Amino acid sequence: MFAERLKNKVIIVTGGSGLIGNPILEHLKENGAIVINADISNKTNIESGNYACDITSQESILELIDFVIKKFGRIDGLVNNAYPRTKDWGNKFEDVTLESWRHNVDMQMNSVFYICQQVLKVMKQQKSGSIVNISSIYGVVGNDFTIYEGYGGTSPAAYSAIKGGIINFTRYLASYYGKHGIRINCVSPGGIKDQQDFSFIERYENKSPLKRLGRPEEIAPSITFLLSNEASFITGHNLMIDGGWTAI
């Protein structure tokens, strides 16, 4: 039954080789989708569904879309999961340079704008399609900086601005393209366990209603659902997958 959910749907996933991206790829495939993993670390291999794509490059995005259209004739879904960032991404607010801020906004938010714009041209012609953008709890609520105190870390200032912008951009697109039969939604994960400092893990889990960080594979099923026809009346929505973090 589940293998029929996305049967033969052609879906692009940006950043599909990463921590969250890989489980997304696998879950989409398990549900019958034809998945293109668009990741800068890839070597293009048509048979395995891997495509070398730099989402910060307009040319690379256009080449990706052209490749998919020539190969499959359509684009049924897009998951904007890639997360490019500068080497100084972890700097505290007072140490962030304007150049760094601009660069990160350009790489993350502006790349989402451009790939959405180009893919939506295809979906508009098809009169169908679904996009899922990946945001974060920190695009919705303010940061709890006490969870970083044990090791002197922080949450990047640009992260909250970018992720908050992506959520409202999702709503804009949903309103704009709904009449064309296209749905655009957003998923906002909470903290995902990934070799973080022990003090961070302890403080985060202590606050979380479910008393733990999330697992990468817990994000994927919601994305599959939102891309499927089971979510045919859902658009402009931001789904929190956060163990209750934003409920308190």
Side-chain angles (χ1 to χ4, degrees):
M1 176 182 175
F2 287 126
E4 302 294 316
R5 235 180 192 178
L6 296 172
K7 187 176 181 179
N8 296 326
K9 296 279 188 182
V10 178
I11 299 171
I12 298 171
V13 178
T14 68
S17 299
L19 179 72
I20 294 177
N22 191 256
I24 292 172
L25 291 180
E26 294 307 311
H27 203 269
L28 292 175
K29 290 176 184 177
E30 288 170 6
N31 282 268
I34 300 167
V35 187
I36 298 91
N37 173 16
D39 196 293
I40 195 170
S41 67
N42 283 343
K43 289 184 178 180
T44 299
N45 184 320
I46 297 172
E47 298 305 317
S48 64
N50 290 325
Y51 189 91
C53 179
D54 177 2
I55 66 156
T56 69
S57 163
Q58 293 180 29
E59 181 181 4
S60 189
I61 288 172
L62 292 175
E63 288 174 352
L64 166 68
I65 294 169
D66 184 62
F67 165 80
V68 175
I69 292 300
K70 285 180 177 177
K71 175 71 176 174
F72 302 105
R74 66 190 193 279
I75 300 174
D76 300 304
L78 168 67
V79 181
N80 280 309
N81 173 69
Y83 181 35
R85 51 205 182 274
T86 56
K87 291 181 180 179
D88 64 349
W89 184 238
N91 281 5
K92 293 186 177 180
F93 179 75
E94 55 269 29
D95 298 323
V96 176
T97 65
L98 181 57
E99 179 184 11
S100 174
W101 178 276
R102 284 174 171 162
H103 194 185
N104 281 293
V105 170
D106 189 36
M107 286 197 299
Q108 296 184 40
M109 183 181 288
N110 295 347
S111 64
V112 169
F113 153 77
Y114 192 69
I115 194 169
C116 280
Q117 184 187 58
Q118 301 309 310
V119 166
L120 283 163
K121 290 178 182 179
V122 177
M123 291 181 171
K124 184 177 177 181
Q125 289 183 329
Q126 299 171 171
K127 299 188 183 304
S128 67
S130 180
I131 295 176
V132 177
N133 295 320
I134 308 299
S135 183
S136 166
I137 54 172
Y138 284 151
V140 177
V141 297
N143 297 67
D144 180 352
F145 287 100
T146 64
I147 63 176
Y148 308 102
E149 289 177 352
Y151 69 107
T154 192
S155 176
Y159 188 75
S160 60
I162 293 164
K163 293 303 187 181
I166 286 174
I167 292 170
N168 223 37
F169 180 55
T170 299
R171 296 184 182 118
Y172 174 92
L173 293 177
S175 301
Y176 198 80
Y177 284 95
K179 64 184 178 182
H180 300 292
I182 302 166
R183 299 182 298 103
I184 299 97
N185 291 290
C186 198
V187 164
S188 289
I192 302 298
K193 199 165 189 177
D194 181 32
Q195 301 179 340
Q196 293 97 334
D197 185 274
F198 176 76
S199 65
F200 170 88
I201 294 173
E202 186 176 46
R203 293 176 188 222
Y204 189 100
E205 292 184 341
N206 184 58
K207 177 178 176 177
S208 171
L210 288 186
K211 300 303 176 189
R212 66 176 177 87
L213 284 149
R215 297 186 295 271
E217 62 271 18
E218 291 180 302
I219 309 303
S222 64
I223 294 169
T224 295
F225 166 70
L226 289 171
L227 290 170
S228 76
N229 291 335
E230 292 176 329
S232 59
F233 201 52
I234 301 174
T235 194
H237 183 66
N238 178 36
L239 178 60
M240 310 303 300
I241 310 176
D242 64 355
W245 185 271
T246 55
I248 58 174

